[in-house]
Amino acid sequence: MCKVCGCGSDEVMVAGHAHHHDHGDEGHQHHGHAHDHEHKHEHDHEHHHDHSHHYGKGPAGAHVPGLSQSRMVAIEQKILAKNDAYAAANRRFFNDRGILALNLVSSPGSGKTTLLIETIERLKANTPISVIEGDQQTETDADRIRRTGVPAIQINTGKGCHLDGHMVGHALDSLAPQPASLVFIENVGNLVCPAGFDLGEAHKVVILSVTEGEDKPLKYPDMFHAADLMLISKTDLLPHVDFDVARCIDYARRINPGIKALQLSAKTGEGMEAWTRWIAAAHALAMTGAATLAAE
Amino acid sequence: MHEMALCENILQVLEEQAVEQDFAAVKTVWLEIGPLAGVELEALRFSFDAVTSGTLADRAKLVIIETRGEAWCASCAKLVPIQHRFDACPLCGGYRLEILGGEELRIKELEVV
């Protein structure tokens, strides 16, 4: 059972909702006549805010046909408010423990997992690392990561095209990452949907391989807007492809003037040093002021 | 953006509100969506009907209020209209834009019974 969300109750959301709300005056549900509409604005607003709940529950508990039953409810809530709340809980978890969490996003086939393995090999001697792997299906990527010796948990999103804050919260429960460690979250390969779902990470890092188009930042602007760092990967292939690095960075900065860009190749090791330095700097920042670390 | 997931989030909000504000069914949902929110409106409408079918919002009407994209141009020191994230400032052609409006993704109001 989920501590944060009690997701048992979430599961029933589609199936069981109606039962909670009809308190025996079936009337208010079934008598939605068309003429209800005319009255709603004139009558409802004043008296509804306080005791809006008790339509048709007069002394006799009767529903009066023809009297307006529909009312307006102001919500003013972000659609993703719930995901944002899970993400905020994850972020608190990371902040309290001085954990740096990075959300790695890219198209499928950009070489995210290979890059991640190479990164882990360079860092694991000095820093505890754990990995959350998101894919629609298979345990393959988590297996590849585990071969480096670091713990990894695979989330299969099934039909889902992105990880969300709720899934990552559960993964953290199982992984229990150490204080002052690194958590890499490898998102589902998709440059669209993961942009909108905060996971509680410190930074989104977008990976773009030189075998893709340099105009991807313009084609998928939301992701490049959401990321703090762009890694241009597979640079060992640059001599063989038409990929204009300068133009790619220019496009990314049109979307996101503050985005940093690094070029690297997990295969030759070129540029890996700058990437691990960036991680170390971000990690130092993540550890600053962490409640758990200060107490020790 | 994944419109189906958005609709599932909307339905969750409706169900929570139904308990909090004591209503049984939703007749109309007003959403406020900006051009930079990454939402395909037709896909959203389609998903909304699919997701809400058989729920408290079964056959509810979906009204989408489209907001305008707006950015602050640091070069012109003016508010300018934009349609896409990669748009240049319509006044100076530059890209020193800070987006101030158009990312809305909100449930604004409900008509309930």
Side-chain angles (χ1 to χ4, degrees):
Chain A
M1 175 58 74
C2 178
K3 298 191 284 265
V4 194
C5 59
C7 46
S9 60
D10 281 346
E11 302 299 331
V12 294
M13 77 173 184
V14 180
H17 61 93
H19 312 294
H20 313 311
H21 320 302
D22 40 53
H23 319 255
D25 57 338
E26 290 102 16
H28 74 301
Q29 218 176 339
H30 300 298
H31 293 273
H33 304 299
H35 49 259
D36 285 355
H37 282 291
E38 290 136 34
H39 304 284
K40 65 179 194 257
H41 291 290
E42 294 92 75
H43 304 308
D44 289 57
H45 276 298
E46 304 111 58
H47 39 268
H48 277 340
H49 288 296
D50 316 312
H51 53 102
S52 47
H53 314 160
H54 304 300
Y55 258 131
K57 283 193 199 163
H63 163 67
V64 184
L67 231 164
S68 168
Q69 295 254 318
S70 76
R71 60 189 164 103
M72 305 300 288
V73 175
I75 300 278
E76 297 291 352
Q77 189 175 325
K78 286 164 95 178
I79 292 175
L80 292 175
K82 195 138 192 176
N83 182 69
D84 290 349
Y86 292 134
N90 296 345
R91 187 164 283 121
R92 232 172 2 254
F93 176 93
F94 295 133
N95 285 348
D96 287 350
R97 292 163 182 76
I99 296 171
L100 173 67
L102 299 178
N103 180 359
L104 308 181
V105 291
S106 79
S107 320
S110 68
K112 266 198 312 287
T113 311
T114 306
L115 173 63
L116 185 53
I117 287 170
E118 185 55 32
T119 307
I120 291 168
E121 293 294 354
R122 285 164 184 261
L123 297 174
K124 68 180 184 189
N126 300 315
T127 318
I129 299 173
S130 45
V131 175
I132 299 172
E133 274 290 334
D135 278 300
Q136 284 203 311
Q137 299 295 343
T138 81
E139 187 90 4
T140 321
D141 278 0
D143 284 342
R144 284 178 68 192
I145 300 289
R146 284 185 202 117
R147 265 175 248 140
T148 66
V150 308
I153 191 161
Q154 179 82 46
I155 302 176
N156 285 136
T157 56
K159 285 177 296 242
C161 49
H162 56 269
L163 294 177
D164 64 32
H166 183 214
M167 299 173 190
V168 168
H170 278 295
L172 289 173
D173 279 347
S174 322
L175 264 183
Q178 301 179 35
S181 66
L182 290 173
V183 173
F184 290 103
I185 305 168
E186 187 180 335
N187 218 314
V188 179
N190 176 347
L191 278 178
V192 186
C193 313
F197 291 82
D198 186 9
L199 306 179
E201 74 277 351
H203 305 281
K204 282 192 181 72
V205 177
V206 62
I207 299 151
L208 176 57
S209 63
V210 301
T211 54
E212 304 168 58
E214 69 228 355
D215 53 356
K216 272 218 168 140
L218 298 186
K219 287 180 172 165
Y220 301 96
D222 296 318
M223 187 60 88
F224 289 84
H225 177 78
D228 294 320
L229 175 66
M230 169 169 72
L231 299 178
I232 300 176
S233 68
K234 303 189 189 177
T235 52
D236 54 296
L237 295 176
L238 269 177
H240 312 289
V241 293
D242 292 323
F243 185 95
D244 187 333
V245 173
R247 184 175 292 163
C248 176
I249 295 173
D250 176 55
Y251 287 155
R253 296 229 162 104
R254 284 192 198 177
I255 308 296
N256 180 357
I259 198 168
K260 282 187 185 288
L262 295 174
Q263 302 171 50
L264 51 78
S265 161
K267 196 170 173 187
T268 65
E270 181 198 4
M272 288 297 290
E273 179 82 36
W275 159 230
T276 53
R277 273 207 309 274
W278 183 90
I279 294 173
H283 197 192
L285 205 56
M287 286 189 286
T288 306
T292 310
L293 303 180
E296 277 169 8
Chain B
M1 176 67 74
H2 196 228
E3 285 73 11
M4 202 65 131
L6 290 181
C7 289
E8 279 161 5
N9 278 278
I10 292 170
L11 181 61
Q12 243 174 345
V13 172
L14 298 185
E15 288 176 337
E16 282 166 9
Q17 291 288 328
V19 177
E20 256 171 53
Q21 312 224 29
D22 197 17
F23 56 81
V26 178
K27 295 173 85 171
T28 315
V29 177
W30 279 267
L31 302 181
E32 211 172 45
I33 306 227
L36 308 175
V39 176
E40 183 54 47
L41 296 184
E42 277 322 300
L44 188 73
R45 286 181 201 284
F46 177 84
S47 308
F48 181 81
D49 290 343
V51 167
T52 55
S53 167
T55 72
L56 80 169
D58 196 12
R59 274 170 288 173
K61 201 169 124 201
L62 184 63
V63 183
I64 296 174
I65 303 161
E66 295 179 52
T67 60
R68 296 208 333 235
E70 222 171 27
W72 176 258
C73 175
S75 305
C76 303
K78 278 199 172 98
L79 266 184
V80 296
I82 53 162
Q83 274 309 305
H84 308 283
R85 289 202 192 278
F86 49 80
D87 280 353
C89 168
L91 302 178
C92 71
Y95 290 97
R96 296 178 61 202
L97 297 177
E98 186 194 345
I99 292 164
L100 295 180
E103 296 179 306
E104 295 79 10
L105 198 57
R106 298 164 67 79
I107 307 172
K108 205 168 163 48
E109 218 173 4
L110 306 176
E111 181 192 3
V112 301
V113 287

PDB file of all heavy atoms in Angstrom, chain A residues 228-249:
ATOM      1  N   ASP A 228      17.340  21.263 -18.732  1.00  0.00           N
ATOM      2  CA  ASP A 228      18.394  22.207 -18.349  1.00  0.00           C
ATOM      3  C   ASP A 228      19.696  21.928 -19.080  1.00  0.00           C
ATOM      4  O   ASP A 228      20.562  22.779 -19.170  1.00  0.00           O
ATOM      5  CB  ASP A 228      18.655  22.114 -16.835  1.00  0.00           C
ATOM      6  CG  ASP A 228      17.456  22.575 -16.039  1.00  0.00           C
ATOM      7  OD1 ASP A 228      16.830  23.572 -16.453  1.00  0.00           O
ATOM      8  OD2 ASP A 228      17.121  21.930 -15.022  1.00  0.00           O
ATOM      9  N   LEU A 229      19.846  20.690 -19.555  1.00  0.00           N
ATOM     10  CA  LEU A 229      21.087  20.303 -20.222  1.00  0.00           C
ATOM     11  C   LEU A 229      20.746  19.458 -21.443  1.00  0.00           C
ATOM     12  O   LEU A 229      19.878  18.584 -21.388  1.00  0.00           O
ATOM     13  CB  LEU A 229      21.958  19.480 -19.250  1.00  0.00           C
ATOM     14  CG  LEU A 229      23.247  18.879 -19.817  1.00  0.00           C
ATOM     15  CD1 LEU A 229      24.242  19.977 -20.206  1.00  0.00           C
ATOM     16  CD2 LEU A 229      23.893  17.932 -18.808  1.00  0.00           C
ATOM     17  N   MET A 230      21.440  19.750 -22.547  1.00  0.00           N
ATOM     18  CA  MET A 230      21.279  18.931 -23.754  1.00  0.00           C
ATOM     19  C   MET A 230      22.599  18.217 -24.004  1.00  0.00           C
ATOM     20  O   MET A 230      23.657  18.861 -24.057  1.00  0.00           O
ATOM     21  CB  MET A 230      20.928  19.828 -24.953  1.00  0.00           C
ATOM     22  CG  MET A 230      21.000  19.100 -26.286  1.00  0.00           C
ATOM     23  SD  MET A 230      20.285  20.051 -27.670  1.00  0.00           S
ATOM     24  CE  MET A 230      21.517  21.320 -27.909  1.00  0.00           C
ATOM     25  N   LEU A 231      22.544  16.902 -24.135  1.00  0.00           N
ATOM     26  CA  LEU A 231      23.735  16.138 -24.485  1.00  0.00           C
ATOM     27  C   LEU A 231      23.611  15.734 -25.948  1.00  0.00           C
ATOM     28  O   LEU A 231      22.665  15.046 -26.329  1.00  0.00           O
ATOM     29  CB  LEU A 231      23.842  14.876 -23.618  1.00  0.00           C
ATOM     30  CG  LEU A 231      23.971  15.082 -22.109  1.00  0.00           C
ATOM     31  CD1 LEU A 231      24.017  13.725 -21.399  1.00  0.00           C
ATOM     32  CD2 LEU A 231      25.216  15.902 -21.766  1.00  0.00           C
ATOM     33  N   ILE A 232      24.564  16.186 -26.752  1.00  0.00           N
ATOM     34  CA  ILE A 232      24.596  15.750 -28.154  1.00  0.00           C
ATOM     35  C   ILE A 232      25.507  14.528 -28.187  1.00  0.00           C
ATOM     36  O   ILE A 232      26.713  14.640 -27.943  1.00  0.00           O
ATOM     37  CB  ILE A 232      25.108  16.884 -29.062  1.00  0.00           C
ATOM     38  CG1 ILE A 232      24.160  18.093 -28.928  1.00  0.00           C
ATOM     39  CG2 ILE A 232      25.212  16.415 -30.509  1.00  0.00           C
ATOM     40  CD1 ILE A 232      24.605  19.316 -29.687  1.00  0.00           C
ATOM     41  N   SER A 233      24.890  13.365 -28.430  1.00  0.00           N
ATOM     42  CA  SER A 233      25.612  12.105 -28.240  1.00  0.00           C
ATOM     43  C   SER A 233      26.016  11.474 -29.570  1.00  0.00           C
ATOM     44  O   SER A 233      25.604  11.927 -30.638  1.00  0.00           O
ATOM     45  CB  SER A 233      24.755  11.135 -27.428  1.00  0.00           C
ATOM     46  OG  SER A 233      23.636  10.747 -28.187  1.00  0.00           O
ATOM     47  N   LYS A 234      26.803  10.431 -29.467  1.00  0.00           N
ATOM     48  CA  LYS A 234      27.338   9.692 -30.623  1.00  0.00           C
ATOM     49  C   LYS A 234      28.175  10.604 -31.530  1.00  0.00           C
ATOM     50  O   LYS A 234      28.103  10.494 -32.762  1.00  0.00           O
ATOM     51  CB  LYS A 234      26.207   9.038 -31.435  1.00  0.00           C
ATOM     52  CG  LYS A 234      25.317   8.084 -30.633  1.00  0.00           C
ATOM     53  CD  LYS A 234      24.375   7.308 -31.541  1.00  0.00           C
ATOM     54  CE  LYS A 234      23.351   6.538 -30.737  1.00  0.00           C
ATOM     55  NZ  LYS A 234      22.377   5.816 -31.559  1.00  0.00           N
ATOM     56  N   THR A 235      28.951  11.501 -30.931  1.00  0.00           N
ATOM     57  CA  THR A 235      29.729  12.441 -31.749  1.00  0.00           C
ATOM     58  C   THR A 235      30.811  11.729 -32.571  1.00  0.00           C
ATOM     59  O   THR A 235      31.338  12.315 -33.515  1.00  0.00           O
ATOM     60  CB  THR A 235      30.394  13.527 -30.887  1.00  0.00           C
ATOM     61  OG1 THR A 235      31.123  12.884 -29.842  1.00  0.00           O
ATOM     62  CG2 THR A 235      29.376  14.473 -30.297  1.00  0.00           C
ATOM     63  N   ASP A 236      31.120  10.470 -32.201  1.00  0.00           N
ATOM     64  CA  ASP A 236      32.077   9.722 -33.023  1.00  0.00           C
ATOM     65  C   ASP A 236      31.542   9.502 -34.436  1.00  0.00           C
ATOM     66  O   ASP A 236      32.297   9.238 -35.363  1.00  0.00           O
ATOM     67  CB  ASP A 236      32.406   8.379 -32.342  1.00  0.00           C
ATOM     68  CG  ASP A 236      31.169   7.568 -32.017  1.00  0.00           C
ATOM     69  OD1 ASP A 236      30.342   8.027 -31.186  1.00  0.00           O
ATOM     70  OD2 ASP A 236      30.991   6.496 -32.594  1.00  0.00           O
ATOM     71  N   LEU A 237      30.222   9.634 -34.603  1.00  0.00           N
ATOM     72  CA  LEU A 237      29.629   9.426 -35.938  1.00  0.00           C
ATOM     73  C   LEU A 237      29.535  10.719 -36.757  1.00  0.00           C
ATOM     74  O   LEU A 237      29.090  10.692 -37.905  1.00  0.00           O
ATOM     75  CB  LEU A 237      28.227   8.811 -35.788  1.00  0.00           C
ATOM     76  CG  LEU A 237      28.181   7.408 -35.175  1.00  0.00           C
ATOM     77  CD1 LEU A 237      26.742   6.949 -34.993  1.00  0.00           C
ATOM     78  CD2 LEU A 237      28.936   6.417 -36.056  1.00  0.00           C
ATOM     79  N   LEU A 238      29.953  11.830 -36.177  1.00  0.00           N
ATOM     80  CA  LEU A 238      29.796  13.122 -36.867  1.00  0.00           C
ATOM     81  C   LEU A 238      30.383  13.158 -38.279  1.00  0.00           C
ATOM     82  O   LEU A 238      29.777  13.740 -39.193  1.00  0.00           O
ATOM     83  CB  LEU A 238      30.394  14.253 -36.022  1.00  0.00           C
ATOM     84  CG  LEU A 238      29.422  14.944 -35.051  1.00  0.00           C
ATOM     85  CD1 LEU A 238      30.143  16.001 -34.226  1.00  0.00           C
ATOM     86  CD2 LEU A 238      28.248  15.577 -35.800  1.00  0.00           C
ATOM     87  N   PRO A 239      31.566  12.528 -38.491  1.00  0.00           N
ATOM     88  CA  PRO A 239      32.114  12.576 -39.853  1.00  0.00           C
ATOM     89  C   PRO A 239      31.214  11.892 -40.887  1.00  0.00           C
ATOM     90  O   PRO A 239      31.356  12.148 -42.085  1.00  0.00           O
ATOM     91  CB  PRO A 239      33.442  11.812 -39.729  1.00  0.00           C
ATOM     92  CG  PRO A 239      33.762  11.812 -38.274  1.00  0.00           C
ATOM     93  CD  PRO A 239      32.465  11.868 -37.549  1.00  0.00           C
ATOM     94  N   HIS A 240      30.318  11.034 -40.421  1.00  0.00           N
ATOM     95  CA  HIS A 240      29.521  10.246 -41.372  1.00  0.00           C
ATOM     96  C   HIS A 240      28.104  10.769 -41.578  1.00  0.00           C
ATOM     97  O   HIS A 240      27.344  10.223 -42.353  1.00  0.00           O
ATOM     98  CB  HIS A 240      29.427   8.787 -40.892  1.00  0.00           C
ATOM     99  CG  HIS A 240      30.750   8.215 -40.503  1.00  0.00           C
ATOM    100  ND1 HIS A 240      31.722   7.910 -41.426  1.00  0.00           N
ATOM    101  CD2 HIS A 240      31.283   7.944 -39.294  1.00  0.00           C
ATOM    102  CE1 HIS A 240      32.786   7.453 -40.804  1.00  0.00           C
ATOM    103  NE2 HIS A 240      32.545   7.470 -39.500  1.00  0.00           N
ATOM    104  N   VAL A 241      27.726  11.791 -40.847  1.00  0.00           N
ATOM    105  CA  VAL A 241      26.338  12.259 -40.953  1.00  0.00           C
ATOM    106  C   VAL A 241      26.304  13.767 -41.194  1.00  0.00           C
ATOM    107  O   VAL A 241      27.265  14.479 -40.910  1.00  0.00           O
ATOM    108  CB  VAL A 241      25.525  11.932 -39.665  1.00  0.00           C
ATOM    109  CG1 VAL A 241      25.346  10.444 -39.515  1.00  0.00           C
ATOM    110  CG2 VAL A 241      26.188  12.528 -38.437  1.00  0.00           C
ATOM    111  N   ASP A 242      25.186  14.228 -41.730  1.00  0.00           N
ATOM    112  CA  ASP A 242      25.007  15.677 -41.895  1.00  0.00           C
ATOM    113  C   ASP A 242      24.309  16.212 -40.667  1.00  0.00           C
ATOM    114  O   ASP A 242      23.081  16.279 -40.619  1.00  0.00           O
ATOM    115  CB  ASP A 242      24.131  15.953 -43.131  1.00  0.00           C
ATOM    116  CG  ASP A 242      24.844  15.583 -44.407  1.00  0.00           C
ATOM    117  OD1 ASP A 242      26.072  15.805 -44.479  1.00  0.00           O
ATOM    118  OD2 ASP A 242      24.183  15.051 -45.316  1.00  0.00           O
ATOM    119  N   PHE A 243      25.079  16.557 -39.695  1.00  0.00           N
ATOM    120  CA  PHE A 243      24.474  17.081 -38.474  1.00  0.00           C
ATOM    121  C   PHE A 243      25.256  18.326 -38.102  1.00  0.00           C
ATOM    122  O   PHE A 243      26.450  18.256 -37.835  1.00  0.00           O
ATOM    123  CB  PHE A 243      24.545  16.039 -37.351  1.00  0.00           C
ATOM    124  CG  PHE A 243      23.843  16.447 -36.083  1.00  0.00           C
ATOM    125  CD1 PHE A 243      22.538  16.057 -35.833  1.00  0.00           C
ATOM    126  CD2 PHE A 243      24.491  17.222 -35.122  1.00  0.00           C
ATOM    127  CE1 PHE A 243      21.882  16.421 -34.662  1.00  0.00           C
ATOM    128  CE2 PHE A 243      23.846  17.602 -33.949  1.00  0.00           C
ATOM    129  CZ  PHE A 243      22.536  17.194 -33.721  1.00  0.00           C
ATOM    130  N   ASP A 244      24.588  19.456 -38.124  1.00  0.00           N
ATOM    131  CA  ASP A 244      25.254  20.726 -37.846  1.00  0.00           C
ATOM    132  C   ASP A 244      25.094  21.043 -36.348  1.00  0.00           C
ATOM    133  O   ASP A 244      24.035  21.472 -35.904  1.00  0.00           O
ATOM    134  CB  ASP A 244      24.603  21.810 -38.706  1.00  0.00           C
ATOM    135  CG  ASP A 244      25.342  23.137 -38.600  1.00  0.00           C
ATOM    136  OD1 ASP A 244      25.979  23.385 -37.556  1.00  0.00           O
ATOM    137  OD2 ASP A 244      25.273  23.917 -39.568  1.00  0.00           O
ATOM    138  N   VAL A 245      26.168  20.791 -35.597  1.00  0.00           N
ATOM    139  CA  VAL A 245      26.104  20.927 -34.131  1.00  0.00           C
ATOM    140  C   VAL A 245      25.755  22.361 -33.728  1.00  0.00           C
ATOM    141  O   VAL A 245      24.898  22.588 -32.871  1.00  0.00           O
ATOM    142  CB  VAL A 245      27.440  20.500 -33.495  1.00  0.00           C
ATOM    143  CG1 VAL A 245      27.447  20.812 -32.002  1.00  0.00           C
ATOM    144  CG2 VAL A 245      27.680  19.005 -33.713  1.00  0.00           C
ATOM    145  N   ALA A 246      26.411  23.322 -34.373  1.00  0.00           N
ATOM    146  CA  ALA A 246      26.191  24.730 -33.997  1.00  0.00           C
ATOM    147  C   ALA A 246      24.732  25.110 -34.225  1.00  0.00           C
ATOM    148  O   ALA A 246      24.112  25.785 -33.395  1.00  0.00           O
ATOM    149  CB  ALA A 246      27.112  25.639 -34.808  1.00  0.00           C
ATOM    150  N   ARG A 247      24.187  24.640 -35.347  1.00  0.00           N
ATOM    151  CA  ARG A 247      22.797  24.986 -35.650  1.00  0.00           C
ATOM    152  C   ARG A 247      21.848  24.329 -34.640  1.00  0.00           C
ATOM    153  O   ARG A 247      20.882  24.941 -34.187  1.00  0.00           O
ATOM    154  CB  ARG A 247      22.444  24.535 -37.070  1.00  0.00           C
ATOM    155  CG  ARG A 247      21.036  24.970 -37.465  1.00  0.00           C
ATOM    156  CD  ARG A 247      20.727  24.637 -38.895  1.00  0.00           C
ATOM    157  NE  ARG A 247      21.527  25.430 -39.822  1.00  0.00           N
ATOM    158  CZ  ARG A 247      21.694  25.124 -41.110  1.00  0.00           C
ATOM    159  NH1 ARG A 247      21.121  24.040 -41.604  1.00  0.00           N
ATOM    160  NH2 ARG A 247      22.423  25.882 -41.883  1.00  0.00           N
ATOM    161  N   CYS A 248      22.165  23.101 -34.274  1.00  0.00           N
ATOM    162  CA  CYS A 248      21.343  22.382 -33.301  1.00  0.00           C
ATOM    163  C   CYS A 248      21.300  23.152 -31.974  1.00  0.00           C
ATOM    164  O   CYS A 248      20.233  23.335 -31.371  1.00  0.00           O
ATOM    165  CB  CYS A 248      21.915  20.985 -33.083  1.00  0.00           C
ATOM    166  SG  CYS A 248      21.044  20.066 -31.826  1.00  0.00           S
ATOM    167  N   ILE A 249      22.465  23.626 -31.539  1.00  0.00           N
ATOM    168  CA  ILE A 249      22.523  24.365 -30.267  1.00  0.00           C
ATOM    169  C   ILE A 249      21.778  25.686 -30.410  1.00  0.00           C
ATOM    170  O   ILE A 249      21.040  26.099 -29.507  1.00  0.00           O
ATOM    171  CB  ILE A 249      23.995  24.586 -29.850  1.00  0.00           C
ATOM    172  CG1 ILE A 249      24.647  23.231 -29.549  1.00  0.00           C
ATOM    173  CG2 ILE A 249      24.092  25.523 -28.649  1.00  0.00           C
ATOM    174  CD1 ILE A 249      26.137  23.293 -29.277  1.00  0.00           C
TER     175      ILE A 249
END
